[in-house]
Amino acid sequence: MPSVLPLGDPAPSDGLLPAQAADGAAQRGFGLYVHIPFCAVRCGYCDFNTYTATELGGGASQDAYASTAIAEVEFAAHALTASGLPDRRMGTVFFGGGTPTLLPAEDLARILTAAVNEWGLAPGAEVTTEANPDSVTPESLTLLADAGFTRVSFGMQSAVPHVLKVLDRTHTPSRVPQVVQWARDAGLSVSLDLIYGTPGESLADWRYSLETALSYEPDHISAYALIVEDGTKLAAQIRRGEVPGIDDDDHADKYEIAEELISAAGLGWYEVSNWARTPEQACRHNLAYWRGDDWWGIGPGAHSHVGGVRWWNVKHPTAYAGRLSGGVSPAAGRETLDAETRNVERVMLEARLSSGLDVSLLAKSGQHAVAGLIADGLVDPASAFRGRLVLTLKGRLLADAVVRRILPD
Ligand SMILES: C[S@@+](CC[C@H](N)C(=O)[O-])C[C@H]1O[C@@H](n2cnc3c(N)ncnc32)[C@H](O)[C@@H]1O
Ligand code: SF4
C-alpha cells in the first residue's frame, strides 16, 4: 500500500455507501484487509504508510492500536448493513503493514476475533499475516494459528548479507529457515517475499537467494523488482552516487532466472510476480483484489472497495484514532468508478494473471492489437485462439507495454 493518497471526493462521516454499492453484492466475494502501521526500523527503499516509534511521537500508541482497529471493524459492519449490503462471510483476511507481527500476537488475534464476530469466516477461508523474520517466535506463531490464521508471508528479500544491508533489513539470513520451520510446526502455510535488482546485487547473488528460498520449500513465493520510490533514503543514496542505480536489463535477466528456478522447483506462476506450489496455494486475497471483489481496509491509509465505490482512510495513526474515537468515519476521500474506468482497471489487472484476460472485454482496437502481440511473442497464440489473452514469458517481462497496446489511447 503506497503511502501517497489520491484526492477524490469527500467521504461522508457516517461511512454510508451509495445505493449502487449493494447491486450484485451477493454474487461478489468479501474480504478484510487490516493495516498495521508500525515497523521497528524503516527500510531505506520502503514508501509504505508505516512509522517507527520515534517517527510516531505521542498520540497514537502501538498499545492502543488493536482497540482502535476493532472500533473500525465495528464501524464497518454497521456501515455495510446500514447501506443495504447483504450479510457476507469473509473469504479472505490479510494483515499487512508495516510489520503486523510487531504487535503482540494477542492483539492480532483480538482484531481477527472481532472481525469474525461481525462477519464470520467462509468455509476454508484464507487468513494471512505478513511478518518480518525477526518479529516472530514459536509461541507467537502458534498463538496466531490457534486464533484462526492459516498463512504467514515472511519478508525474506534476499539470502545475501551485503544485499540485506543495502535494503536496511534487520534479520540475518540464518533466521529465515528457523522461522519457516516454526510456522510449519504451528500448521501455517508459508510464503516468502523476495526483492531483486537491489544496487550491488549480482546475477549470482540473486540465483543464490532464489536457490536458498526454494530449499526451504515454501508454498508460495512473491518476487518483486525493487522500485526506487521518490523521497526514500535509497532514492537519495542513488542520487548522491553512494550506491549504483537500478537497471531495467538487470531486472529482466533476474526475472527470467526467477521463472527458471521457481518453476523447476515445482511452483507455477499465477500472477506476474507470484508463484504457488499448487493453484489452491495462490494468495486468494490478492486474487480477489485483482478480480475486483469487495473488501474493507481497516487502518490508517487503508483502501477499501465495495461495488465500484473506492475510499481511503486518513494516513496518520493519530488522525485515524481521533476520527474513530469521535465515532466518525476515518475515510479521507472516496470515488465512484464509472463503467469505463472499472473496465480499464480490470484489463490492467487480469492481463497479469496466468488465467488471462477475456479478449471480448477489450474495445475493438484492443482486440485488433492481439495479432501483433502474438507476432511479437508477447501473447500465447493457443490461449488467444480460445479467446483469452495470456502473457508469454517475454510478455510478462513487458506486461505494462502489453497493457498499453490493448487499451484505447
Ligand atoms: C510493505 S512490506 C510488509 C511486510 C514486512 N514489513 C516486510 O517488509 O516483509 C511487503 C513487501 O513489500 C515489498 N516492498 C516494499 N517496498 C518495496 C519497493 N520499493 N520495491 C519492491 N518491493 C517492495 C517488500 O518485498 C515486502 O516484503
Ligand atoms: S519492514 Fe516492511 S513495511 Fe517496514 S519499512 Fe521495511 S519493507 Fe517497509
Side-chain angles (χ1 to χ4, degrees):
M1 190 177 51
S3 66
V4 180
L5 295 179
L7 291 172
D9 303 322
S13 60
D14 57 12
L16 291 189
L17 298 171
Q20 69 163 87
D23 289 349
Q27 278 72 55
R28 292 191 301 271
F30 175 62
L32 192 74
Y33 172 75
V34 181
H35 188 66
I36 309 291
F38 310 115
C39 286
V41 175
R42 177 178 285 275
C43 308
Y45 61 91
C46 181
D47 180 34
F48 280 55
N49 189 35
T50 185
Y51 303 82
T52 61
T54 7
E55 285 171 342
L56 206 53
S61 77
Q62 289 182 24
D63 297 347
Y65 187 74
S67 301
T68 310
I70 290 170
E72 191 184 357
V73 166
E74 290 164 358
F75 182 91
H78 177 264
L80 288 172
T81 307
S83 303
L85 271 295
D87 286 343
R88 288 177 295 176
R89 294 205 247 174
M90 299 178 291
T92 63
V93 182
F94 194 100
F95 282 59
T99 305
T101 46
L102 203 60
L103 290 189
E106 289 82 354
D107 283 7
L108 303 184
R110 223 153 54 81
I111 301 170
L112 177 61
T113 303
V116 173
N117 288 343
E118 295 294 349
W119 293 291
L121 284 171
E126 173 194 276
V127 183
T128 305
T129 185
E130 292 183 329
N132 288 26
D134 48 10
S135 64
V136 294
T137 62
E139 294 74 28
S140 68
L141 289 165
T142 304
L143 204 149
L144 292 175
D146 289 347
F149 283 83
T150 61
R151 190 171 176 273
V152 59
S153 172
F154 288 116
M156 171 176 171
Q157 320 307 359
S158 170
V160 180
H162 76 85
V163 174
L164 289 171
K165 189 157 183 287
V166 173
L167 293 175
D168 286 332
R169 299 299 294 194
T170 50
H171 65 273
T172 53
S174 63
R175 179 79 176 171
V176 178
Q178 208 175 23
V179 298
V180 168
Q181 191 54 51
W182 293 342
R184 287 247 162 72
D185 292 346
L188 295 164
S189 170
V190 174
S191 177
L192 296 175
D193 272 5
L194 295 172
I195 288 185
Y196 57 92
T198 299
E201 180 191 59
S202 67
L203 293 180
D205 289 336
W206 174 233
R207 211 172 251 286
Y208 176 74
S209 289
L210 283 162
E211 283 165 354
T212 306
L214 290 164
S215 74
Y216 307 146
E217 301 184 348
D219 304 301
H220 183 280
I221 286 198
S222 302
Y224 298 112
L226 179 69
I227 299 170
V228 179
E229 303 281 3
D230 286 346
T232 56
K233 178 178 136 195
L234 179 67
Q237 288 172 316
I238 292 175
R239 203 175 48 247
R240 292 195 296 261
E242 290 164 16
V243 293
I246 55 167
D247 173 68
D248 287 348
D249 290 339
D250 175 66
H251 276 179
D253 291 344
K254 287 177 177 165
Y255 186 83
E256 285 183 0
I257 295 173
E259 169 57 29
E260 176 199 325
L261 296 187
I262 300 174
S263 62
L267 288 80
W269 79 286
Y270 65 96
E271 192 273 343
V272 170
S273 305
N274 289 280
W275 289 258
R277 193 163 291 282
T278 65
E280 293 70 40
Q281 284 163 326
C283 177
R284 281 191 276 133
H285 188 78
N286 282 340
L287 283 171
Y289 285 156
W290 297 326
R291 293 193 173 132
D293 274 357
D294 290 349
W295 76 90
W296 192 294
I298 301 287
H303 289 233
S304 302
H305 169 263
V306 175
V309 182
R310 190 155 57 191
W311 67 96
W312 45 90
N313 286 349
V314 291
K315 243 181 86 173
H316 200 278
T318 310
Y320 171 75
R323 294 273 192 114
L324 283 160
S325 66
V328 170
S329 164
R334 85 173 180 196
E335 61 191 0
T336 302
L337 307 173
D338 58 27
E340 193 189 329
T341 311
R342 287 178 86 173
N343 194 50
V344 165
E345 293 197 351
R346 189 164 168 195
V347 167
M348 288 168 65
L349 296 170
E350 291 192 9
R352 298 173 64 86
L353 300 177
S354 66
S355 52
L357 168 77
D358 181 349
V359 174
S360 70
L361 284 174
L362 297 172
K364 282 281 169 279
S365 60
Q367 296 188 17
H368 290 145
V370 174
L373 293 168
I374 293 172
D376 293 344
L378 298 168
V379 161
D380 175 50
S383 309
F385 186 70
R386 292 193 299 272
R388 296 207 74 83
L389 182 143
V390 177
L391 299 174
T392 58
L393 176 56
K394 184 176 170 195
R396 283 149 66 191
L397 290 167
L398 296 169
D400 293 342
V402 171
V403 167
R404 280 196 294 277
R405 284 171 63 177
I406 53 179
L407 283 175
D409 292 332

